[in-house]
Amino acid sequence: MYSVKTQTFTLDPNNPDPAVIAQAAERLRADGLVAFPTETVYGLGANALSPVAVGRIFEVKKRPFYDPLIVHLARLSQIEQVARDVPPLAYELAQIYWPGPLTLVLKKSPQVAANVSAGLETVAVRMPNHRIPLALVETSGLPIAAPSANLFTRPSPTSARHVLEDLNGHVDVILDGGDCPIGLESTILDLTASPPTVLRHGGLALDLLRQQIPDLQIARRYVKEDEGLPISAPGMLVKHYSPKSPLLLFTGQTDAALPRLRDLASVLAKQGYRVSVMTTTEDARHFTDLNLEIADLGSATDLPQIGRRLFDQMRRLDALRVDVILVRAPAQEGLGLTIWDRLFRAAEGQVFDLDMPLDVEEIAQLLESRKSA
Ligand code: TXA
Ligand code: MG
């Protein structure tokens, strides 16, 4: 295992100290690992041209070798260094959405280390809308391969503290630029597919992309590990963004929905479960008189805020070692689709409908089986 003494530097996200950036860039050139904030989540960066450096990312994250990484750029002209036969649509989208939370899958240039792309012929690239990684790419002169800076299957990190929790002693430098302004990973668009296909919902809402790509496709997203399908787009694994505590996801809009969820919470609490509810501020009042741990995500009318808080709340509840996290999904529109996607994966693809009576016995059994898994 790649082991080092981790150094943390606090930086102004709008005006990072060039001396600190230069030091971090030096680590990257020496095949070290540098974690940094982006507008989406914190990334764990390495020189994308060095198979040794990239190998260290997989090692310290415990990431399966078949799950490829995203390459981060600071200038549009760098596309030619990492990709080939770049279609005009890529430039058109980059002009509009870069820097920003849109990752494009293109044909890979041979310069990029093969393990970045997990042996695929394609490469995922994006230009983050954050001064720290932009300065790091500029100063090092390197394209930077960076997955989210969390351990595999843990919620993505949205603060430097989260990175330290997962990777202390296994990353050379953590650049602390405060909380990530979006808090959800980038939207991934495959431009080698025809028509262009969304591989992962993310920080850029699809209604925007449809303006440039009317025939936009959305990939079948969810594959369970035991389905035995070839994993061509690895981000499709259902179990991916999971808190350690089992998370149960609920839909339902009728007047009966919240009282049903409240009843379930109360029954489980009486059975001795340490119950938590992750909820909008509006829904929270249905639960305040029960003895529960309440994780307030913010107003239902402020989806960006829910997005910013989601992973941090998952980690907070994990740290409290709650036995179960109950969540009623917010509306599945715009950024709500991305939030739904992360909750759905955390729930391992299982959803309960609160517009129908709940089978509490079935749910208790499910909890027991998740606990022993
Ligand atoms: O917002 C983000 O995208 C963050 C920040 C750090 O940039 N990064 C991130 O990386 O979320 P990661 O490694 O957690 O997710 C990268 C995902 C992979 O799981 C895979 O689904 C997809 O990107 N990916 C990467 N290269 C690909 C390729 N060549 N073809 C298809 N999918 C690819
Ligand atoms: Mg990730």
Side-chain angles (χ1 to χ4, degrees), residues 132-363:
I132 292 176
L134 292 177
L136 209 50
V137 172
E138 284 289 356
T139 305
S140 67
L142 299 171
I144 300 179
S148 49
N150 53 306
L151 287 173
F152 180 64
T153 79
R154 299 279 295 133
S156 288
T158 57
S159 73
R161 181 173 48 79
H162 297 161
V163 180
L164 203 62
E165 264 169 33
D166 282 13
L167 295 172
N168 191 15
H170 303 289
V171 50
D172 294 81
V173 173
I174 299 175
L175 300 176
D176 181 350
D179 292 349
C180 298
I182 295 179
L184 300 164
E185 303 88 339
S186 62
T187 300
I188 302 181
L189 178 65
D190 186 352
L191 292 183
T192 69
S194 177
T197 302
V198 173
L199 301 180
R200 177 175 78 184
H201 293 289
L204 185 75
L206 298 193
D207 3 336
L208 286 174
L209 277 180
R210 286 208 177 87
Q211 293 172 11
Q212 284 74 45
I213 314 170
D215 58 346
L216 187 70
Q217 295 278 308
I218 299 173
R220 177 186 169 221
R221 304 294 323 293
Y222 307 107
V223 180
K224 291 204 171 160
E225 255 154 320
D226 55 13
E227 274 183 73
L229 296 173
I231 299 177
S232 57
M236 298 208 297
L237 276 182
V238 164
K239 188 174 166 61
H240 195 108
Y241 305 89
S242 315
K244 288 175 205 144
S245 314
L247 183 148
L248 301 184
L249 181 59
F250 299 86
T251 56
Q253 297 300 326
T254 61
D255 291 346
L258 279 168
R260 280 202 182 107
L261 190 57
R262 180 195 150 85
D263 285 349
L264 175 68
S266 149
V267 168
L268 291 176
K270 279 193 193 112
Q271 291 183 2
Y273 289 96
R274 180 109 200 263
V275 179
S276 69
V277 179
M278 215 155 66
T279 170
T280 59
T281 309
E282 290 85 349
D283 286 0
R285 63 190 169 79
H286 290 265
F287 305 97
T288 38
D289 62 315
L290 300 174
N291 183 25
L292 308 174
E293 184 60 43
I294 292 182
D296 193 337
L297 292 172
S299 171
T301 62
D302 190 351
L303 288 176
Q305 170 158 280
I306 295 179
R308 272 195 301 279
R309 288 187 183 176
L310 186 68
F311 290 138
D312 181 62
Q313 289 288 20
M314 284 186 191
R315 280 178 182 259
R316 189 176 75 78
L317 294 176
D318 264 353
L320 291 173
R321 299 182 180 282
V322 298
D323 296 316
V324 59
I325 305 171
L326 306 177
V327 194
R328 185 165 79 113
Q332 293 174 51
E333 285 154 26
L335 201 56
L337 261 180
T338 304
I339 293 166
W340 165 264
D341 171 86
R342 303 309 187 261
L343 289 170
F344 185 77
R345 290 157 183 262
E348 301 185 24
Q350 191 154 17
V351 183
F352 298 93
D353 182 2
L354 291 169
D355 291 337
M356 312 277 282
L358 288 175
D359 183 343
V360 177
E361 199 43 47
E362 179 200 352
I363 290 174

Side-chain angles (χ1 to χ4, degrees), residues 40 63 67-68 70 72 122 124 126 147-148 185-186 188 200 235:
T40 58
R63 184 179 178 105
D67 195 359
I70 295 172
H72 295 67
T122 56
R126 84 177 193 100
S148 49
E185 303 88 339
S186 62
I188 302 181
R200 177 175 78 184

Side-chain angles (χ1 to χ4, degrees), residues 115-129:
N115 49 355
V116 166
S117 287
L120 298 172
E121 295 293 304
T122 56
V123 64
V125 295
R126 84 177 193 100
M127 190 190 293
N129 187 16

